[in-house]
């Protein structure tokens, strides 16, 4: 049996599907896929930015390890380091036919050498399915196993202030319109007319994505290879709204991850905390790739694919965000356990930046002009101006509003998660592990020569001494 792989990546979907508890959106194909395999209920991206998150999926490395710190396209121009092993390169070496259809959004091409590259910004799911069918036919004639990635454009925003590419499909009888009064406003957003208007358009885009997933899966079934193919479905980051995309709050990084493994039990709801750095090791494990030394710290999910209990060694994940757009510098790291979330905001003195598409949105205009100005349950000022550390009890506060970092009763948890985060930063050689306002990595040679480094996050001009 050839061990094929189909990876489907939604663009800005978040957990806005029926199988993840959103009843107002119709996603029958994604929900069916969840019922046929494993739904990971505690899956986390490392970062909530499109290019950066995809680079984590394709490399198994956090962005501070692989170099894809932010967006790849246009003047942003972030690139994965040339020495980093990527999924297309690894599977090419294993004798696979590799291909990508639709959104690519990582680079350079020499580091991501897909054999078939049908890059496009189209939302035409018919074209996507046709390309998928053609690729599968090419793999059949080549008599090779395949690794195919489908990068959907939906449900990303378009270039308008409230649109999601829907106007191009007004003549499509399969399109479904939603009314603003019928949407379900998630708690991370404010219930305002502008928000409801955008959510209604967003729902339509999500519904089109779902039909695209169904068509690609139908092409796989028609190829006769479905029973030999690992199917993975994931979103790169949270929904394209404030409090979600570009933030490391759960709305931005707690995401869908579905896997259908041939021969495995269906209908599994897996509670273990898994990271997007685990996706590439899982695909390599499925392909039977020989074990090799690597900087990757992710683990294959195949051994726990059918588990429905939380295992002791799957209770902690980390994340790393540095840029979205080139002007959106705001390095932050997080640690997540089943109960607690710790954020280390390195450049906390800077206002949290707005991405261009979210700043121009009607939903943001509505929220900034409301009285009082809030983003969901979070005061606007608390969204823009954040402290150096945040700690949340997600059992009592699932939307990360009440920061416990300065609460005496929670200091033990704060110190434990701070220590574990810093240990992870050291293990991954993170340049944004800071002391006294300096990158510890940048001055490592001076520390070896006797430089004394004050044990504090930031430089204090009122107490500048280090002796």
């Amino acid at each position: 049996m050839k061990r094929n792989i189909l990876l489907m990546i939604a663009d800005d979907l978040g957990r806005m599907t029926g199988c993840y508890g959103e009843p107002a959106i119709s996603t029958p194909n994604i929900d069916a896929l969840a019922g046929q395999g494993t739904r990971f209920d505690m899956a986390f991206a490392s970062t909530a930015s499109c290019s950066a998150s995809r680079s984590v999926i394709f490399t198994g490395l956090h962005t501070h390890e692989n170099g894809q710190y932010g967006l790849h396209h246009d003047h942003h121009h972030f690139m994965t380091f040339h020495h980093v092993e990527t999924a297309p390169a690894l599977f090419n070496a294993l004798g696979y036919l590799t291909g990508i259809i639709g959104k690519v959004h990582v680079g350079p091409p020499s580091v991501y050498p897909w054999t078939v590259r049908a890059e496009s910004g189209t939302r035409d799911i018919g074209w996507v399915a046709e390309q998928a069918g053609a690729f599968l036919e090419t793999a059949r004639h080549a008599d090779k196993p395949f690794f195919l990635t489908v990068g959907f454009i939906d449900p990303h925003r378009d270039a308008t202030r409230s649109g999601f590419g829907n106007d191009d499909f007004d003549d499509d009888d399969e399109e479904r319109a939603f009314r603003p009064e019928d949407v379900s406003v998630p708690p991370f957003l404010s219930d305002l007319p502008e928000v409801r208007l955008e959510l209604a358009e967003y729902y339509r885009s999500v519904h089109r994505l779902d039909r695209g997933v169904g068509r690609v899966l139908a092409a796989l079934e028609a190829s006769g290879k479905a029973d030999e193919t690992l199917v993975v479905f994931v979103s790169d980051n949270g929904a394209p709204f404030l409090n979600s995309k570009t933030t490391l709050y759960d709305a931005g990084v707690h995401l869908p991850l579905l896997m259908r493994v041939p021969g495995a039990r269906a209908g599994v709801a897996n509670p273990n905390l898994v990271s997007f750095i685990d996706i590439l090791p899982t695909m390599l494990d499925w392909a039977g790739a020989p074990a090799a030394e690597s900087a990757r710290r992710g683990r294959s999910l195949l051994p726990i694919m059918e588990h429905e209990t939380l295992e002791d060694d799957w209770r902690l994940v980390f994340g790393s965000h540095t840029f979205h757009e080139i002007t959106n510098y705001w390095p932050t790291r997080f640690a997540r356990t089943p109960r607690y979330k710790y954020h280390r905001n390195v450049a906390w003195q800077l206002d949290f930046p707005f991405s261009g598409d979210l700043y121009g949105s009607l939903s943001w205009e509505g929220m900034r002009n409301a009285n009082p100005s809030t983003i969901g349950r979070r005061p606007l000022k608390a969204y823009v101006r954040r402290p150096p550390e945040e700690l949340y009890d997600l059992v009592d506060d699932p939307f990360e509003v009440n920061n416990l970092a300065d609460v005496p009763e929670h200091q033990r948890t704060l110190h434990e998660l701070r220590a574990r985060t810093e240990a992870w930063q050291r293990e991954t050689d993170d340049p944004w592990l800071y002391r006294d306002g300096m990158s510890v990595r940048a001055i490592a040679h001076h520390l070896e020569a006797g430089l004394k480094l004050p044990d504090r996050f930031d430089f204090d001009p009122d107490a500048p001494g280090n002796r």
Side-chain angles (χ1 to χ4, degrees):
M1 179 180 77
K2 292 184 173 65
R3 289 179 164 254
N4 310 303
I5 300 166
L6 170 62
L7 169 63
M8 294 181 286
I9 305 177
D11 201 344
D12 294 3
L13 175 63
R15 288 164 61 92
M16 308 287 266
T17 65
C19 61
Y20 281 102
E22 180 47 75
I25 300 180
S26 177
T27 54
N29 294 290
I30 295 171
D31 299 348
L33 179 61
Q36 295 161 3
T38 295
R39 185 191 72 221
F40 287 94
D41 287 337
M42 295 292 280
F44 292 86
S46 176
T47 179
S49 177
C50 310
S51 295
S53 186
R54 290 162 195 264
S55 77
V56 175
I57 295 170
F58 292 136
T59 68
L61 300 172
H62 298 282
T63 58
H64 66 259
E65 297 177 281
N66 69 33
Q68 188 85 51
Y69 301 123
L71 294 179
H72 171 64
H73 68 291
D74 295 340
H75 60 283
H76 312 293
H77 204 57
F78 288 105
M79 300 276 189
T80 301
F81 293 138
H82 285 279
H83 68 271
V84 170
E85 295 178 317
T86 66
L90 288 165
F91 281 99
N92 284 343
L94 291 172
Y96 275 61
L97 178 68
T98 62
I100 189 165
I101 298 166
K103 191 162 191 173
V104 177
H105 218 24
V106 290
S110 59
V111 176
Y112 293 92
W114 282 284
T115 306
V116 177
R117 185 181 175 114
E119 186 172 7
S120 174
T122 184
R123 298 172 189 258
D124 183 346
I125 56 176
W127 179 87
V128 171
E130 288 175 4
Q131 292 295 313
F135 174 88
L136 296 172
E137 184 66 11
T138 298
R140 185 180 72 82
H141 282 293
D143 195 25
K144 285 185 173 185
F146 63 80
F147 168 48
L148 173 62
T149 299
V150 177
F152 292 99
I153 304 301
D154 287 317
H156 196 284
R157 290 176 180 270
D158 62 23
T160 68
R161 296 193 65 194
S162 62
F164 292 84
N166 299 326
D167 292 346
D168 294 337
F169 301 96
D170 285 340
D171 295 331
D172 188 338
D173 292 338
E174 293 188 48
E175 287 282 303
R176 176 177 170 184
F178 295 83
R179 300 186 306 171
E181 58 266 33
D182 294 333
V183 304
S184 173
V185 179
F188 64 84
L189 290 175
S190 304
D191 192 347
L192 298 170
E194 296 91 342
V195 173
R196 285 183 169 273
L197 172 67
E198 289 192 351
L199 282 171
E201 292 298 308
Y202 178 69
Y203 278 22
R204 182 175 169 186
S205 184
V206 172
H207 184 255
R208 185 168 51 249
L209 160 73
D210 180 77
R211 290 189 289 119
V213 169
R215 292 192 185 190
V216 171
L217 290 175
L220 176 63
E221 193 70 37
S223 74
K225 299 297 183 181
D227 292 338
E228 301 175 355
T229 302
L230 167 67
V231 177
V232 182
F233 175 83
V234 69
S235 175
D236 55 356
N237 48 252
F241 295 90
L242 297 176
N243 242 354
S244 176
K245 183 177 179 179
T246 78
T247 83
L248 296 187
Y249 295 127
D250 267 15
V253 295
H254 185 195
L255 299 176
L257 175 60
L258 307 176
M259 290 191 177
R260 188 178 73 189
V261 181
R265 186 161 58 91
V268 174
N270 192 311
N272 290 283
L273 274 70
V274 302
S275 168
F276 281 14
I277 67 169
D278 300 320
I279 294 175
L280 178 56
T282 302
M283 296 190 299
L284 290 171
D285 187 15
W286 165 254
E293 285 192 16
S294 167
R296 294 186 294 273
R297 290 171 175 78
R299 297 173 286 177
S300 172
L301 301 177
L302 294 183
I304 64 164
M305 189 63 59
E306 299 181 15
H307 290 205
E308 294 189 292
T309 57
L310 181 59
E311 308 297 340
D312 288 341
D313 57 344
W314 291 89
R315 292 174 176 264
L316 179 66
V317 294
F318 298 101
S320 169
H321 177 93
T322 305
F323 286 91
H324 179 60
E325 297 164 359
I326 185 65
T327 53
N328 293 160
Y329 176 71
W330 215 81
T332 182
R333 306 294 184 255
F334 79 83
R336 176 67 152 82
T337 73
R339 179 166 183 174
Y340 290 101
K341 181 86 162 289
Y342 170 77
H343 298 254
R344 167 69 180 110
N345 302 323
V346 179
W348 63 277
Q349 298 97 330
L350 299 174
D351 285 354
F352 188 81
F354 292 85
S355 66
D357 58 345
L358 300 187
Y359 186 85
S361 68
L362 295 183
S363 58
W364 163 231
E365 185 163 302
M367 286 184 278
R368 73 185 297 180
N369 287 290
N371 187 18
S373 293
T374 63
I375 303 175
R377 302 175 185 180
R378 194 185 314 279
L380 176 57
K381 187 174 182 179
Y383 180 82
V384 174
R385 295 185 178 161
R386 307 182 188 181
E389 293 179 296
E390 298 171 74
L391 177 69
Y392 299 100
D393 182 339
L394 297 166
V395 172
D396 296 333
D397 180 24
F399 300 104
E400 298 167 86
V401 175
N402 302 309
N403 184 12
L404 304 175
D406 293 329
V407 176
E409 294 82 0
H410 293 276
Q411 291 307 293
R412 180 175 178 180
T413 301
L414 176 74
H415 294 157
E416 177 186 349
L417 289 177
R418 178 197 295 159
R420 298 191 75 168
T421 300
E422 292 193 350
W424 163 76
Q425 288 184 278
R426 293 181 188 278
E427 290 169 4
T428 57
D429 204 18
D430 186 356
W432 281 274
L433 173 60
Y434 267 45
R435 280 293 184 276
D436 201 36
M438 283 298 302
S439 166
V440 174
R441 175 175 167 178
I443 57 173
H445 57 299
H446 295 308
L447 295 173
E448 293 172 358
L451 173 67
K452 296 185 184 302
L453 190 62
D455 188 18
R456 58 193 179 191
F457 290 147
D458 305 300
F459 177 72
D460 185 354
D462 294 322
N466 71 334
R467 287 190 252 170

